[in-house]
Amino acid sequence: MTDTIARYFAAFNAGDTDAMLDCLDEQIAHHVNEGKIRVGKEKFAEFCAHMSHCYKEELTDMVIFSSEDGTRAAAEFIVNGTYLATDEGLPEAKGQTYRLPGGSFFELKDGKISRVTTYYNLADWIAQVSAG
C-alpha cells in the first residue's frame, strides 16, 4: 500500500498526471484544502490541470504512514513551490516562491487510492506569496 502512495507522489513530483491517475480508483473522492469534494478521475484530472497552470510544486521530506490492514495511509511533506499564474480569489502571481508543511490522508481499495484529503495552512501560503 505504501508503494501506491509513493508512486502517486513520485508522479506528482514528475508532473505526470496520467501516472497519478493510474494510482486512483475510478470513483476517487478528492477532498481539497479549502474546497469542495471532487468525485471521479475526470474531476481529479481537471484539478491537476488547473494546479499545473497556476503552480509548480515539488514535495520533499516525505514520510508515509500506513495502517496494518492496508486500507488507510497518511503522508507528511514539505511543499516547495512557485506561484506561476494568479488563481482566482488569491493574491496576484508574480513568480513568488513558497515553502510550507502539508499532509495527505488516504483510503485505499483493491490497491488503488479511493480517497485523498490534503491539508496545508492557506494563511501561511498567502502570507508567503504576499510578502514580496
Side-chain angles (χ1 to χ4, degrees):
M1 169 198 18
T2 58
D3 290 347
T4 301
I5 305 303
R7 280 196 329 270
Y8 172 84
F9 283 123
F12 176 92
N13 278 344
D16 187 346
T17 300
D18 289 337
M20 290 174 72
L21 292 170
D22 286 344
C23 297
L24 305 180
D25 182 79
E26 289 298 323
Q27 293 302 310
I28 179 72
H30 182 212
H31 300 240
V32 295
N33 197 68
E34 307 290 333
K36 296 179 182 177
I37 299 169
R38 294 171 173 84
V39 177
K41 282 187 173 185
E42 182 178 333
K43 295 279 186 192
F44 187 90
E46 290 169 3
F47 175 81
C48 288
H50 169 79
M51 292 298 289
S52 294
H53 174 74
C54 294
Y55 311 91
K56 176 158 182 51
E57 295 180 331
E58 179 183 12
L59 308 179
T60 59
D61 304 302
M62 178 78 56
V63 179
I64 299 171
F65 309 87
S66 64
S67 63
E68 289 184 23
D69 67 2
T71 62
R72 300 191 40 196
E76 184 177 27
F77 44 81
I78 300 296
V79 180
N80 304 276
T82 304
Y83 191 24
L84 303 173
T86 302
D87 202 345
E88 184 178 344
L90 296 173
E92 182 181 354
K94 302 174 187 171
Q96 305 95 310
T97 59
Y98 52 92
R99 180 176 164 84
L100 66 153
S104 294
F105 299 92
F106 301 90
E107 286 183 25
L108 289 98
K109 182 173 75 175
D110 300 325
K112 298 282 188 172
I113 298 167
S114 59
R115 176 186 58 86
V116 58
T117 305
T118 300
Y119 292 107
Y120 57 89
N121 186 322
L122 181 61
D124 182 8
W125 179 86
I126 289 172
Q128 288 186 49
V129 300
S130 297

